[in-house]
């Protein structure tokens, strides 16, 4: 499964479009679909991460938006994402 989502990057840049690929239980993201061959910018093993949905809050400043946050125990990094107008394929 793969497709475009918005990913929270930082308070300066905010939500940015990224391309996500879910394969073999690992969710990876890239700057764009064209960058998949270059290697991912980050990935997370879905079997060991905690998924939180809805208005996650957590200081993102977007508590009312529909969000998903995936966090792994170690190393831990959040993948806050918003669905875009496109559908996952």
């Amino acid at each position: 499964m793969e497709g475009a989502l918005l990913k929270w990057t930082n308070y300066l840049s905010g939500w940015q479009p990224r391309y996500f690929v879910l394969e073999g239980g690992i969710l990876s993201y890239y700057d764009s679909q064209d960058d998949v061959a270059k290697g991912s910018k980050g990935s997370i093993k879905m079997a060991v991460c905690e998924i939180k949905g809805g208005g996650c809050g957590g200081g993102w400043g977007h508590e009312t938006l529909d969000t998903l946050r995936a966090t792994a125990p170690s190393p831990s990094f959040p993948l806050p994402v918003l669905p875009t107008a496109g559908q996952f394929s």
Side-chain angles (χ1 to χ4, degrees):
M1 182 181 300
E2 56 188 65
L5 296 171
L6 294 175
K7 180 185 179 296
W8 178 256
T9 55
N10 57 50
Y11 284 102
L12 182 61
S13 300
W15 295 95
Q16 298 293 313
R18 296 292 183 253
Y19 193 77
F20 284 80
V21 176
L22 177 61
E23 185 174 26
I26 297 175
L27 180 65
S28 302
Y29 78 96
Y30 310 83
D31 280 332
S32 70
Q33 186 174 5
D34 296 335
D35 291 335
V36 172
K38 296 178 185 177
S40 71
K41 294 188 63 121
S43 61
I44 190 166
K45 188 173 182 180
M46 299 304 289
V48 298
C49 71
E50 178 183 7
I51 306 292
K52 293 183 180 180
C56 293
W60 296 348
H62 300 284
E63 285 78 8
T64 59
L65 297 177
D66 230 0
T67 56
L68 166 73
R69 184 174 184 148
T71 309
S74 180
S76 181
F77 67 94
L79 282 176
V81 295
L82 286 173
T84 62
Q87 296 283 332
F88 266 93
S89 59

